[in-house]
Amino acid sequence: MGTRASRPQFETMSEISTKKTSGSQNKGWSYRGYLPHFDHNKIIQFITFRLYDSVPEKVIELWKIDLNWKAGFSADSPEALELRERIETYADAGHGQCFLKDKRIAKIVEDALLHFHEQRYHLLEWCIMPNHVHVLCDIFENYTLNKIVQSWKSFTAHQANIILNRTGQFWMPDYFDRYIRNRHHFLKTVEYIHNNRYE
């Protein structure tokens, strides 16, 4: 079973912009896997991470060949947007073992997201789907997106494997992130997360 809960949102877009830029140091673009990542202190990020079998790596590699994928594409490039769309569509079809349909596993993931809420980030919206998780959060200064996502995935994988009496990979190695550009993007992302709620 998936879950979604809301947290207070910014009252105005100017407040969002202030939080994005005040005292921040841009870490810039990087690649850890098949997608580009943008890290920046105190910025709102839309993050998606998936179970290891939700989208097979060989399928992604075929899509990359089809899209003439090259290292260095930005998250806003047509290729990156198309790759993301294909991954989203494939994952939404419910491929893989869908461990997150288990209420115990969904609860572990939700508790992990809430654990450092208001300490390392501010959770705005999230939803837990059968084989992937969407999170919208405001990253606090002095914390990095990569380490936050890694902490979620590492802890939840360990706990879920204990409950499921299994070993091995639980999450896909990479994750998708896209920083919020403006008020319209923010509201569309909130709507997208709401529409992806799984019952």
Side-chain angles (χ1 to χ4, degrees), residues 118-137:
E118 298 297 3
Q119 297 178 51
R120 300 181 180 179
Y121 46 80
H122 181 80
L123 286 175
L124 297 165
E125 300 285 344
W126 68 94
C127 67
I128 300 171
M129 302 294 284
N131 61 6
H132 62 284
V133 179
H134 294 304
V135 180
L136 183 66
C137 66

Side-chain angles (χ1 to χ4, degrees), residues 34-188:
Y34 59 85
L35 289 172
H37 301 288
F38 182 74
D39 201 357
H40 192 299
N41 287 335
K42 299 174 70 176
I43 193 169
I44 299 174
Q45 292 274 15
F46 175 48
I47 304 155
T48 302
F49 52 105
R50 297 176 174 79
L51 294 179
Y52 80 99
D53 61 350
S54 61
V55 185
E57 198 68 37
K58 62 182 180 182
V59 173
I60 295 174
E61 289 302 319
L62 288 173
W63 288 337
K64 287 167 66 175
I65 292 170
D66 184 50
L67 294 169
N68 295 313
W69 187 265
K70 295 180 178 61
F73 281 147
S74 76
D76 286 327
S77 70
E79 294 84 0
L81 293 174
E82 175 63 22
L83 182 61
R84 177 199 172 196
E85 180 65 28
R86 292 185 188 190
I87 292 171
E88 290 285 350
T89 300
Y90 194 98
D92 286 344
H95 293 284
Q97 297 183 70
C98 295
F99 292 132
L100 301 177
K101 288 199 296 189
D102 186 322
K103 293 181 182 180
R104 301 169 300 167
I105 308 305
K107 182 69 164 59
I108 287 171
V109 174
E110 183 173 54
D111 287 349
L113 298 178
L114 287 166
H115 187 72
F116 288 113
H117 171 58
E118 298 297 3
Q119 297 178 51
R120 300 181 180 179
Y121 46 80
H122 181 80
L123 286 175
L124 297 165
E125 300 285 344
W126 68 94
C127 67
I128 300 171
M129 302 294 284
N131 61 6
H132 62 284
V133 179
H134 294 304
V135 180
L136 183 66
C137 66
D138 178 17
I139 307 293
F140 290 176
E141 193 170 6
N142 300 323
Y143 293 100
T144 64
L145 174 64
N146 176 48
K147 289 184 178 179
I148 287 170
V149 176
Q150 183 56 41
S151 70
W152 292 337
K153 292 169 66 177
S154 177
F155 176 79
T156 56
H158 178 72
Q159 296 299 314
N161 276 342
I162 290 174
I163 289 177
L164 296 168
N165 194 29
R166 67 182 296 275
T167 60
Q169 186 178 359
F170 189 77
W171 300 107
M172 287 181 68
D174 210 353
Y175 59 91
F176 175 84
D177 61 272
R178 191 158 192 240
Y179 70 91
I180 300 301
R181 272 64 173 175
N182 50 47
R183 181 175 180 79
H184 176 72
H185 187 202
F186 176 77
L187 295 175
K188 291 295 288 184

